[in-house]
Amino acid sequence: MKKAFLVLFLLISAINLAYSQSIPSVNVMQFEAGTGASNADAANLTSRTIEELRSWGTLNVTDSGAAFTIRGILSRQGGAFILSGSTLDVNGRVLNEYTERAQTLSAISVLQFCTSAVERVPLPNYLLGTWQSTLNMPDGPVVCIIEFRTDRTVRIERYDTWEHRQNNSLRYEGFGTGIYTYTGFANRIVTANNRQIRIDAITSINLTLEETLPDQTSVNLSNLQILFNDGRTSFEILNNMLPCGRNYDGPSVYPSELIGFTQFRKL
C-alpha cells in the first residue's frame, strides 16, 4: 500500500513539475534621452512601458536582480520620434534589438515595443497540456481532445465532426496534428457577447485532420482570443471556434447552423 502511494505521489509530482512554469523577472532601465528628445519624454515612455508589462500578468517587473533587462533610447529625427530598445540577459548578452517610430510621442506603440522586447524571454504558456471540449448533440456528444506541446506542435487525439441534414446525422471521429502560436501577454480588453472582457492570450492554430468531414480536413485560424478561468483549468475561445460541422435543420436541432468547439477543460 505504501509503495503504491509512493508511486502515485511521484507520478503526480512529475506531472506538476512538467507543467509548472516560472514567471520571468524583467528590469526596465530608465530610457535615455537622445538627440532631439527630452528627459521628460524619455521618462514618460519608460513609465508607459513598465505599466504595459505589468498589465500582462506573465512578468515580474522589478527594479533589481532581474533575469532580463530592457534598455531604451528615445531620439527625434526629421520630426519623428524613434524609440530604440535592446533586451539583455542576466550576463549582459544582448538577446535582440528593436525600434518603434511615430510622428508624435503618444503615437509610439508601447505594446509593439514591449512585444519585441520580450520576443526571446521565456514567458509562461498556459495552453500547455491536454484539453477536452464536448458538445452535447441530440444524438450524442461531439468531442475534441487536443494537446498543446512545448515545441508549439499540436496532437489531436480526437476531433469529432458532425452533420445533420433532413433528420439524418453523420459523425466521424477524426484525429490529426498541427502547429500553433501563443501570445500570452495579450491581455487586452475586448467586447464579447456585449460585455467588456480582458482576454488572457491570443493564439493561432493550423491543423491537418484525418477521417473528418471534408470541410474540416484543414483548420487554419488566426488571432483566437483566449480567456482562462482563475485556476487555468479551463479556457474559452471568445471570437471564433474550432469548426466541427454543420446543422441544416434549424434551432430545434442546434441553435446555430455552424458547429464548433469553444469551451475546453484541462484533462
Side-chain angles (χ1 to χ4, degrees), residues 139 142 161-165 168-172 213 244:
D139 58 341
V142 176
T161 53
W162 179 92
E163 182 180 274
H164 197 281
R165 188 194 297 267
N168 295 314
S169 294
L170 288 175
R171 181 195 311 272
Y172 294 87
L213 289 169
C244 62

Side-chain angles (χ1 to χ4, degrees), residues 221-234:
L221 300 171
S222 300
N223 297 317
L224 298 178
Q225 298 170 355
I226 302 296
L227 178 66
F228 291 99
N229 68 343
D230 290 341
R232 298 188 178 92
T233 57
S234 67

Side-chain angles (χ1 to χ4, degrees), residues 82-171:
I82 302 172
L83 179 59
S84 302
S86 58
T87 301
L88 295 77
D89 65 14
V90 70
N91 297 314
R93 181 172 63 96
V94 176
L95 300 180
N96 61 323
E97 298 177 318
Y98 35 91
T99 300
E100 286 298 312
R101 178 191 300 263
Q103 291 302 117
T104 64
L105 194 70
S106 60
I108 287 182
S109 176
V110 172
L111 173 60
Q112 186 56 52
F113 180 84
C114 292
T115 300
S116 301
V118 300
E119 182 179 316
R120 297 188 180 181
V121 175
L123 297 173
N125 179 354
Y126 296 120
L127 268 185
L128 293 180
T130 303
W131 306 79
Q132 178 172 325
S133 180
T134 302
L135 299 175
N136 293 312
M137 309 307 292
D139 58 341
V142 176
V143 177
C144 174
I145 301 177
I146 181 169
E147 179 189 4
F148 295 94
R149 297 179 168 180
T150 56
D151 61 357
R152 299 302 171 96
T153 62
V154 177
R155 184 180 73 90
I156 308 294
E157 178 180 330
R158 180 173 172 179
Y159 198 105
D160 292 353
T161 53
W162 179 92
E163 182 180 274
H164 197 281
R165 188 194 297 267
Q166 297 178 351
N167 299 320
N168 295 314
S169 294
L170 288 175
R171 181 195 311 272

